[in-house]
């Protein structure tokens, strides 16, 4: 009996070895699986995509820049324009850049003469993944144009103020300028509508003793013309932006038409089939 006890202990110890190995093996495999899952979870699932820029609202400019301002307006601002219809500026691509100008001298003989100049320019910006949206690019250009107007060479009494009711944002810049021996009054209106920048300049001077036009009149004329020019851009909105009837709308419209036709047919039929009233009969008999 005493000899069998040590032998039994050795047998049990040997029997336990495979179990420990199996347990160790399982725990090792579990760790590997965890590492594998962690590595697969941490690995990127795909490439990052850059956010797309907002598409430009306008894809063209007014077809005829010189018609962006009404003829009635240009004739009142430049009464004796050399070319009443305006002179278009040269451009390699009129869908992104265009301009037009009017100028003339209203000669009143011994009473002096009045000179006027009016010009308008359009710049359109497309959306670009690298450069930004058309609206953003136009906003940057708008800021540059305002600064440029304020830095006009030889300008005096420069003043800038917001111009309400013209596009999405607009600034009026006014100043005095002496040239050709005369004093000129200037007004430049820079406006932005979506991805298009409109820059309009109006100026005038009195010659041969005539009075210099007032700064208020020049500014008023510039703002009126600028408002028309900006509105001309809106008139060129792409057809895609105009509301169109959906198939469901068309179907409901047809159903409504059929219903109204049936209803009108039944009503007319009932009305015509009714016998004349007693009052009408008596009236016809008496007559």
């Amino acid at each position: 009996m005493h000899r069998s006890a040590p032998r039994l202990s050795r047998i049990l110890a040997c029997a336990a070895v495979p179990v420990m190995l199996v347990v160790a093996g399982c725990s090792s495999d579990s760790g590997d699986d965890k590492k594998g899952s962690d590595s697969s979870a941490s690995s990127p699932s795909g490439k990052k995509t850059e956010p797309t820029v907002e598409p430009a609202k306008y894809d063209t400019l007014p077809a005829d820049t010189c018609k962006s301002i009404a003829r009635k307006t240009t004739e009142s601002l430049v009464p004796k324009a050399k070319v009443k219809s305006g002179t278009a500026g040269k451009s390699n691509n009129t869908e992104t850049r265009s301009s037009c100008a009017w100028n003339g001298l209203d000669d009143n003989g011994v009473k002096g003469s009045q000179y006027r100049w009016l010009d308008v320019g359009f710049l359109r910006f497309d959306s670009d993944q690298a450069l930004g949206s058309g609206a953003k690019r136009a906003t940057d250009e708008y800021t540059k144009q305002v600064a440029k107007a304020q830095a006009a060479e030889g300008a005096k009494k420069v003043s800038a103020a917001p111009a309400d009711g013209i596009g999405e944002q607009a600034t009026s810049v006014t100043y005095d300028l002496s040239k050709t021996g005369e004093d000129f009054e200037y007004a430049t209106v820079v406006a932005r509508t979506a991805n298009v920048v409109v820059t309009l300049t109006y100026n005038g001077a009195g010659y041969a003793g005539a009075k210099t036009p007032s700064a208020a009149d020049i500014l008023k004329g510039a703002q009126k013309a600028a408002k028309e020019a900006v509105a001309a851009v809106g008139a060129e909105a792409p057809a895609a932006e105009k509301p169109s009837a959906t198939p469901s709308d068309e179907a409901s419209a047809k159903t409504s038409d059929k219903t109204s036709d049936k209803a009108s047919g039944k009503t007319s039929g009932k009305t015509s089939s009714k016998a004349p009233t007693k009052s009408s009969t008596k009236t016809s008999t008496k007559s």
Side-chain angles (χ1 to χ4, degrees):
M1 293 295 290
H2 293 287
R3 292 181 180 176
S4 61
R7 183 180 181 186
L8 179 59
S9 299
R10 286 196 299 272
I11 293 172
L12 291 174
C14 291
V17 172
V19 176
M20 294 174 65
L21 291 175
V22 172
V23 173
C26 291
S27 61
S28 176
D29 292 343
S30 175
D32 292 340
D33 291 344
K34 187 175 181 181
K35 289 181 180 179
S37 61
D38 290 344
S39 61
S40 62
S42 61
S43 61
S45 57
K47 294 181 179 179
K48 292 183 179 180
T49 56
E50 294 183 6
T52 57
V53 296
E54 178 186 6
K57 182 176 182 179
Y58 300 116
D59 58 6
T60 188
L61 292 175
D64 188 340
T65 308
C66 295
K67 290 183 179 180
S68 63
I69 302 173
R71 174 68 74 88
K72 183 179 179 181
T73 301
T74 59
E75 288 183 349
S76 67
L77 297 181
V78 189
K80 298 293 182 178
K82 295 177 181 178
V83 181
K84 291 185 179 296
S85 59
T87 303
K90 294 181 180 180
S91 174
N92 294 328
N93 186 353
T94 56
E95 291 188 352
T96 58
R97 180 190 296 267
S98 63
S99 63
C100 189
W102 298 258
N103 71 88
L105 183 67
D106 186 4
D107 191 351
N108 295 309
V110 294
K111 294 182 179 181
S113 304
Q114 289 290 333
Y115 176 80
R116 296 291 185 274
W117 170 283
L118 173 69
D119 69 67
V120 61
F122 296 85
L123 281 173
R124 186 183 64 81
F125 297 86
D126 288 318
S127 293
D128 187 281
Q129 189 67 31
L131 301 176
S133 69
K136 178 187 179 301
R137 297 176 66 194
T139 300
D140 293 341
E141 180 63 26
Y142 164 82
T143 302
K144 291 178 182 178
Q145 290 294 331
V146 172
K148 182 179 178 181
Q150 291 176 295
E153 186 177 355
K156 301 175 182 177
K157 299 179 181 179
V158 180
S159 177
D164 298 330
I166 305 177
E168 294 179 33
Q169 58 182 150
T171 299
S172 296
V173 180
T174 58
Y175 53 90
D176 300 342
L177 186 65
S178 296
K179 59 181 182 179
T180 64
E182 304 295 341
D183 295 326
F184 280 73
E185 284 292 342
Y186 270 78
T188 295
V189 179
V190 183
R192 181 186 69 83
T193 174
N195 58 309
V196 176
V197 177
V198 180
T199 302
L200 183 140
T201 297
Y202 181 48
N203 63 74
Y207 280 83
K211 290 183 179 181
T212 301
S214 69
D217 286 343
I218 292 296
L219 176 59
K220 183 179 179 180
Q223 291 181 338
K224 175 179 174 58
K227 186 175 292 185
E228 292 183 10
V230 171
V233 177
E236 297 294 329
E241 291 188 7
K242 296 179 181 179
S244 58
T246 62
S248 59
D249 292 336
E250 294 178 356
S252 60
K254 289 181 180 179
T255 303
S256 176
D257 292 340
K258 288 181 180 179
T259 304
S260 60
D261 290 342
K262 288 181 180 180
S264 60
K266 289 181 180 179
T267 304
S268 60
K270 288 180 180 179
T271 304
S272 59
S273 61
K274 284 184 178 180
T277 60
K278 291 182 180 180
S279 58
S280 63
T281 304
K282 288 180 180 180
T283 304
S284 61
T285 304
K286 286 182 181 181
S287 60

